[in-house]
Amino acid sequence: MVAPSLLAKLTVKSAVLLIPSPSPLQTLRSRLGAHARTCQFFPFQRVSISTSTSYRPDKHRAATPSNSPDTSPYPFRIFHDDISSLRKYRGEINHNGRTVGLVPTMGALHEGHLALIRAAAAENSDVFVSIFVNPTQFGPTEDLATYPRTWDDDMEKLSALNNKLTFPNGLGRISAVFAPGVRTMYPTLPPSSDVDGAGSFVTITPLANRLEGASRPTFFRGVATVCTKLFNIIQPERVYFGQKDVQQSVLINRMVQDFHIPTEVRVVATTREEDGLAMSSRDVYLGQRRRQVAPILHGALRAAETEYDEGRLSRTEMFGAAIHFLETERLKLADRGLGGVEFELDYISVADMEEMNEIKDEVDPRRGAIISGALKMLPVKDPQTEEERAQKPVRLIDSIILTPVISVNNFQH
Ligand code: AMP
């Protein structure tokens, strides 16, 4: 069993701050016990692995310069394809009684990624950041080719952050960046994005088929596969994921548990723009007008959260509040001069924290829940600039944890 994750610890804080005082939920919390606290469960799930031996050319090699660790111009080592050097370096860290926290990313780093690195530096002597645009988690029609790749900018951000991580601001610092090519990560098998494509894959079902997985059928197979590889190569004591991709965090927790991977999973609260939009590398695709509308997804989830905070636990009411918010905001767009901006809701989900199964009736406040949603920002219907004429749909996801309330007393007897 993995240690209770930061998911509970970090989100509790923000969720409690959002609760009006005194709310019915707080009343309930005090009824449940003065020492009420939160907890996270990740019960067992079926896992299957499929393999194949066919091979196809590497089409998506990472566009990053190749410099050996010793010639890195940055205050950390950079490893591309030399896994044995990386392992040797990692072994030395182990030998010296230090610990490694791994932050897996696809680059195009922003404050959300940096928050994960700060969390890793707070409890590990050495932080490894991986940067790998993993082809197997992109569907055949998704944006693999155009996914933002900003190597120099990323290195600058990591260097600047490292300078600030000096003790006492952080226990550790960034020691290494691992930015492998596709052939290194997929040495003998094709990185297929097809649902029934061949490859050595890790699949976590049925979790991977729900919500995000329903819209992106190979996404979680790609994520689980690449994370297994990263965990095997780096063997970190701890790994850090963002709550923004909440289903991914639940899936990784499940995978680590089911495969007995000796690492602890930490989940870090979502970093947001001032207007509530969850930061994402894909936000750069939005353009100026769609960007102004993008925070509505967070607004819709907050509307559902308010129902819970005020003691209305019915899934239907939470769902209804979110939809009502979206439709009201849609009607206001023309008045805001944003009549050309259109969006399509993919889903709003109120699900349990263990399996992300939809809650059918009422949220049990002792168990809490995850409200998540996905929304597609469509290309503007009256493009006025080159950028707008070239727009493609941008999918936004977001989530909020409904704080579980568990009486310690319940467990003492
Ligand atoms: P990505 O590079 O988009 O694959 O994300 C790498 C990691 O950063 C994942 O664990 C994400 O959940 C996390 N992450 C991305 N955006 C945010 C955010 N706004 N706040 C916190 N974590 C994030």
Side-chain angles (χ1 to χ4, degrees), residues 17-239:
L17 287 174
L18 292 170
I19 297 172
S21 175
S23 74
L25 185 65
Q26 283 172 318
T27 311
L28 176 64
R29 179 178 284 127
S30 55
R31 270 215 314 271
L32 284 169
H35 305 292
R37 66 179 183 189
T38 58
C39 185
Q40 183 95 15
F41 301 100
F42 295 97
F44 188 78
Q45 181 102 358
R46 185 171 69 84
V47 176
S48 64
I49 300 177
S50 58
T51 59
S52 161
T53 53
S54 60
Y55 186 79
R56 83 177 182 196
D58 174 359
K59 288 196 284 187
H60 306 294
R61 180 139 187 9
T64 55
S66 177
N67 43 0
S68 79
D70 296 326
T71 60
S72 167
Y74 304 103
F76 38 75
R77 296 202 175 199
I78 297 175
F79 297 91
H80 288 297
D81 301 305
D82 188 353
I83 305 274
S84 60
S85 292
L86 171 56
R87 285 213 159 115
K88 189 160 166 270
Y89 181 55
R90 200 270 172 262
E92 287 163 15
I93 291 172
N94 205 26
H95 189 69
N96 292 328
R98 290 157 33 204
T99 62
V100 169
L102 168 65
V103 180
T105 81
M106 297 207 297
L109 302 180
H110 52 68
E111 270 304 317
H113 297 115
L114 302 189
L116 268 56
I117 295 169
R118 282 192 203 94
E123 54 180 357
N124 298 278
S125 57
D126 296 76
V127 180
F128 282 38
V129 179
S130 65
I131 297 183
F132 179 61
V133 182
N134 174 35
T136 62
Q137 69 191 68
F138 288 75
T141 60
E142 292 183 20
D143 58 343
L144 173 62
T146 57
Y147 192 84
R149 289 163 170 87
T150 57
W151 175 260
D152 291 336
D153 194 43
D154 290 350
M155 293 306 103
E156 292 305 325
K157 282 183 178 154
L158 294 180
S159 303
L161 176 61
N162 232 12
N163 291 335
K164 292 185 198 145
L165 285 177
T166 320
F167 190 82
N169 294 327
L171 169 70
R173 305 180 84 201
I174 303 164
S175 301
V177 168
F178 178 44
V182 175
R183 275 187 187 245
T184 297
M185 293 303 276
Y186 294 89
T188 61
L189 297 165
S192 172
S193 292
D194 300 327
V195 173
D196 41 11
S200 299
F201 295 124
V202 179
T203 58
I204 315 285
T205 59
L207 185 56
N209 302 330
R210 300 199 181 108
L211 302 173
E212 282 303 289
S215 301
R216 308 179 69 190
T218 55
F219 175 67
F220 286 118
R221 182 184 74 182
V223 168
T225 300
V226 80
C227 285
T228 301
K229 290 166 186 265
L230 291 169
F231 297 176
N232 279 341
I233 292 168
I234 296 170
Q235 304 193 2
E237 271 80 13
R238 300 179 188 90
V239 292

Side-chain angles (χ1 to χ4, degrees), residues 155-343:
M155 293 306 103
E156 292 305 325
K157 282 183 178 154
L158 294 180
S159 303
L161 176 61
N162 232 12
N163 291 335
K164 292 185 198 145
L165 285 177
T166 320
F167 190 82
N169 294 327
L171 169 70
R173 305 180 84 201
I174 303 164
S175 301
V177 168
F178 178 44
V182 175
R183 275 187 187 245
T184 297
M185 293 303 276
Y186 294 89
T188 61
L189 297 165
S192 172
S193 292
D194 300 327
V195 173
D196 41 11
S200 299
F201 295 124
V202 179
T203 58
I204 315 285
T205 59
L207 185 56
N209 302 330
R210 300 199 181 108
L211 302 173
E212 282 303 289
S215 301
R216 308 179 69 190
T218 55
F219 175 67
F220 286 118
R221 182 184 74 182
V223 168
T225 300
V226 80
C227 285
T228 301
K229 290 166 186 265
L230 291 169
F231 297 176
N232 279 341
I233 292 168
I234 296 170
Q235 304 193 2
E237 271 80 13
R238 300 179 188 90
V239 292
Y240 294 80
F241 288 85
Q243 185 200 304
K244 179 186 147 277
D245 302 280
V246 69
Q247 192 178 358
Q248 173 173 283
S249 304
V250 172
L251 179 115
I252 295 294
N253 235 325
R254 174 62 47 83
M255 184 182 89
V256 161
Q257 190 179 0
D258 283 350
F259 286 101
H260 299 279
I261 298 175
T263 194
E264 290 178 19
V265 180
R266 302 287 199 242
V267 183
V268 178
T270 304
T271 303
R272 300 182 180 281
E273 305 284 359
E274 275 185 10
D275 58 10
L277 177 67
M279 288 187 185
S280 161
S281 302
R282 287 187 169 98
D283 290 346
V284 293
Y285 298 146
L286 285 168
Q288 195 251 332
R289 284 200 284 167
R290 293 194 295 184
R291 169 64 187 82
Q292 291 179 64
V293 180
I296 49 168
L297 176 58
H298 181 54
L301 302 185
R302 287 285 303 273
E305 183 195 34
T306 301
E307 295 295 303
Y308 180 75
D309 286 350
E310 293 179 358
R312 291 184 290 280
L313 304 175
S314 144
R315 176 213 146 77
T316 314
E317 285 189 46
M318 289 180 208
F319 185 78
I323 300 295
H324 177 73
F325 180 90
L326 287 176
E327 291 314 317
T328 311
E329 290 302 306
R330 196 198 294 273
L331 294 175
K332 291 183 196 160
L333 288 179
D335 290 344
R336 292 172 62 196
L338 297 167
V341 180
E342 295 184 307
F343 59 85

